[in-house]
Amino acid sequence: MDVKAAPNGVATIEDRILRITGYYGYYPGYSSQKSTSRSSVTRCKPGANCPSSHSSVSRQLSPLSVTEDSSAPILELQSRGSSGVCGHRAERQNRSGDDGTQTHPENSSQENRIKARCLSCASMVLKAIWGLLIILSVSSSWVGTTQIVKITYKNFYCPFFMTWFSTNWNIMFFPVYYSGHLATAQEKQSPMKKFRECSRIFGEDGLTLKLFLKRTAPFSILWTLTNYLYLLALKKLTATDVSALFCCNKAFVFLLSWIVLKDRFMGVRIVAAIMAITGIVMMAYADNFHADSIIGVAFAVGSASTSALYKVLFKMFLGSANFGEAAHFVSTLGFFNLIFISFTPVILYFTKVEHWSSFAALPWGCLCGMAGLWLAFNILVNVGVVLTYPILISIGTVLSVPGNAAVDLLKQEVIFNVVRLAATIIICIGFLLMLLPEEWDEITLRFINSLKEKKSEEHVDDITDPSVHLRSRSRAIGTVSIPLA
């Protein structure tokens, strides 16, 4: 069926359809050119030579070169398509490269943060483990010291000689510290260099004879008084009562620090001090104000008071000290005790206030055990501040009260009535209240507010979850998949 050419040059129906549909490769006579090109193409068998095929194809495609304006959009689209694909690929590669360079430092920073958190958690766990060991060691050494004193009193009652003998063992504190320094430090120092370094606690000039007499004498006297009064109290009271009363030294430290050092006033610590005083009175009342009971309570309270005065004066004149300086200072106290206080037990011996038949009759085993445990207690208290939290040392001290109570019950040396038990509990609670930090109220309020915020967030999440679920369901029902084919 032949169709005449229209005035605009469109001859066939295919040309009209192509023009109406807007085919980019259309030009007048496209269908006729296409049919002639198809008819002119010859098919060759595989392996046969067809030399005229390439020339005929090129001759049939030659009209395209004449109509460059009409064929330009096809070439432009092809070039754009090829360059666009390559461009998108290159752009994707560049973006992936940029993302890789950006995410690499982020990943490394995240890894560093994770490592830092792991190290902090490991250090906290290690501190907690050391703290648990220190608590058990401090409480057991203090209980052991108290119980050995009670055993020694059965055959030998010379409290000042026992105090002097155990204080002399403080000389070994610095050698023990230096042995630990040699075992753990990477850069080891000579004993004299380390001694001079630790003697800075007395001042920039170190330890001089003047400072030795001026700074060491009052602290040595307070040290001796504390231990001597403690041993006197153990003669009148049970180990449980004396250890409980000695825990009042925390309350006395707070009161003296508030008065002398002008420390911050804390109501909770005032309450703790009142509880300590109440426990003292109840402890004296437990035996119906018996003479020995009142004297024993007075000795124990005096020991706690001198201990508190020692700590406050140390903080006033010497400030804070590290482990090495504390070891140096305690060893210096031992030397002062050996040099200047040795005449006191000699005088007591010849006046027969504290007399013994011969040195061979002395219970050297109990004396050495008491002195060794006392030295271990002092070392553990100073080491514990370095290895773990200081509050755990105080907890170890207060745990000596139930430890002594358990031993006394096993030995059947104490009968707990209601008043004595209540006094012991009140004193221990007051001691624990003293351990609260200065910002305990702010920390408590922050903790309560954080709990309230977490509960409110969880409540909001519970409310929003059903609405989100309903929205997702409505969106899932309203979506319609349109077929692309």
Side-chain angles (χ1 to χ4, degrees):
M1 176 177 175
D2 296 332
V3 181
K4 293 181 181 181
N8 55 3
V10 180
T12 62
I13 295 174
E14 186 177 0
D15 288 334
R16 291 179 182 178
I17 293 171
L18 292 174
R19 178 163 182 164
I20 291 169
T21 56
Y23 181 67
Y24 289 103
Y26 168 78
Y27 57 90
Y30 173 83
S31 61
S32 60
Q33 180 66 32
K34 183 178 178 181
S35 62
T36 54
S37 64
R38 287 178 180 175
S39 62
S40 63
V41 174
T42 57
R43 296 181 179 179
C44 298
K45 296 180 179 180
N49 294 324
C50 300
S52 62
S53 61
H54 296 287
S55 61
S56 62
V57 171
S58 62
R59 284 195 300 269
Q60 299 297 332
L61 294 176
S62 60
L64 292 175
S65 61
V66 178
T67 58
E68 290 179 358
D69 295 334
S70 61
S71 63
I74 300 175
L75 298 175
E76 186 178 359
L77 283 173
Q78 291 177 353
S79 63
R80 281 181 183 176
S82 60
S83 63
V85 172
C86 296
H88 284 300
R89 289 178 181 174
E91 187 176 356
R92 288 176 183 175
Q93 290 176 357
N94 292 330
R95 286 181 180 176
S96 63
D98 295 337
D99 293 338
T101 55
Q102 291 177 359
T103 55
H104 180 70
E106 292 178 357
N107 293 331
S108 62
S109 63
Q110 289 179 355
E111 290 178 357
N112 292 330
R113 290 176 184 174
I114 292 171
K115 289 180 179 178
R117 289 178 181 176
C118 291
L119 290 174
S120 63
C121 291
S123 63
M124 290 178 64
V125 171
L126 187 61
K127 265 193 170 185
I129 293 172
W130 275 113
L132 182 61
L133 295 175
I134 291 292
I135 286 174
L136 296 175
S137 301
V138 167
S139 60
S140 60
S141 61
W142 192 243
V143 170
T145 302
T146 306
Q147 295 297 329
I148 289 177
V149 170
K150 296 289 287 185
I151 293 171
T152 308
Y153 278 170
K154 294 179 180 180
N155 300 319
F156 182 77
Y157 179 68
C158 295
F160 194 88
F161 176 79
M162 295 167 65
T163 302
W164 173 82
F165 181 78
S166 61
T167 306
N168 289 334
W169 283 50
N170 289 339
I171 298 172
M172 294 187 290
F173 200 152
F174 187 79
V176 171
Y177 163 74
Y178 185 73
S179 300
H181 166 74
L182 293 178
T184 57
Q186 295 180 353
E187 296 180 359
K188 297 177 176 57
Q189 299 178 358
S190 63
M192 290 303 299
K193 186 176 181 180
K194 195 67 179 176
F195 186 83
R196 293 192 188 96
E197 180 182 344
C198 295
S199 63
R200 292 177 184 174
I201 189 173
F202 295 98
E204 294 296 330
D205 297 333
L207 182 62
T208 60
L209 181 60
K210 181 180 179 180
L211 289 175
F212 176 73
L213 297 174
K214 183 180 179 180
R215 295 290 176 88
T216 309
F219 291 104
S220 180
I221 293 171
L222 288 174
W223 182 287
T224 303
L225 274 176
T226 299
N227 296 334
Y228 180 61
L229 292 174
Y230 188 83
L231 295 183
L232 288 176
L234 285 173
K235 183 64 176 178
K236 303 293 182 179
L237 299 175
T238 62
T240 305
D241 295 343
V242 175
S243 59
L245 290 169
F246 188 76
C247 289
C248 296
N249 67 340
K250 275 286 182 182
F252 299 150
V253 167
F254 164 70
L255 293 175
L256 289 173
S257 299
W258 180 38
I259 296 170
V260 178
L261 301 179
K262 307 298 180 182
D263 282 356
R264 179 184 173 184
F265 174 81
M266 290 182 63
V268 67
R269 293 187 177 177
I270 290 292
V271 173
I274 294 172
M275 292 178 69
I277 296 171
T278 304
I280 292 169
V281 175
M282 292 178 66
M283 193 69 72
Y285 177 74
D287 293 328
N288 295 323
F289 293 101
H290 192 269
D292 289 340
S293 177
I294 295 175
I295 294 172
V297 170
F299 285 152
V301 173
S303 176
S305 301
T306 52
S307 174
L309 184 60
Y310 174 92
K311 293 177 181 179
V312 172
L313 291 179
F314 187 93
K315 187 177 181 180
M316 180 187 294
F317 293 108
L318 301 177
S320 59
N322 56 29
F323 184 35
E325 292 173 349
H328 182 282
F329 185 76
V330 174
S331 294
T332 306
L333 291 180
F335 275 110
F336 186 91
N337 180 78
L338 180 63
I339 296 170
F340 294 100
I341 303 182
S342 297
F343 67 91
T344 305
V346 174
I347 294 174
L348 293 176
Y349 175 79
F350 285 107
T351 57
K352 295 186 178 181
V353 175
E354 292 186 358
H355 186 76
W356 56 92
S357 59
S358 63
F359 285 97
L362 292 177
W364 292 109
C366 293
L367 291 175
C368 293
M370 177 198 66
L373 287 175
W374 220 324
L375 177 64
F377 174 80
N378 293 322
I379 292 175
L380 288 170
V381 167
N382 290 278
V383 170
V385 176
V386 178
L387 296 179
T388 184
Y389 305 100
I391 190 173
L392 299 179
I393 309 302
S394 301
I395 293 174
T397 304
V398 77
L399 285 178
S400 64
V401 178
N404 281 314
V407 176
D408 288 342
L409 286 174
L410 291 175
K411 293 165 60 178
Q412 297 180 353
E413 291 186 356
V414 63
I415 298 174
F416 284 102
N417 53 19
V418 178
V419 178
R420 178 178 276 109
L421 186 61
T424 303
I425 293 173
I426 288 173
I427 291 173
C428 292
I429 292 174
F431 183 88
L432 294 175
L433 288 177
M434 284 291 175
L435 300 181
L436 291 175
E438 294 184 355
E439 299 84 6
W440 70 274
D441 50 351
E442 298 178 0
I443 296 171
T444 305
L445 290 175
R446 289 175 189 171
F447 180 71
I448 293 172
N449 292 329
S450 64
L451 290 178
K452 289 181 179 179
E453 290 177 357
K454 287 181 180 179
K455 288 183 179 179
S456 61
E457 289 176 358
E458 291 177 357
H459 184 65
V460 171
D461 293 337
D462 293 337
I463 294 173
T464 55
D465 284 341
S467 61
V468 173
H469 182 65
L470 291 173
R471 287 180 184 176
S472 62
R473 286 187 64 187
S474 62
R475 289 177 182 174
I477 293 170
T479 54
V480 178
S481 60
I482 302 174
L484 298 177

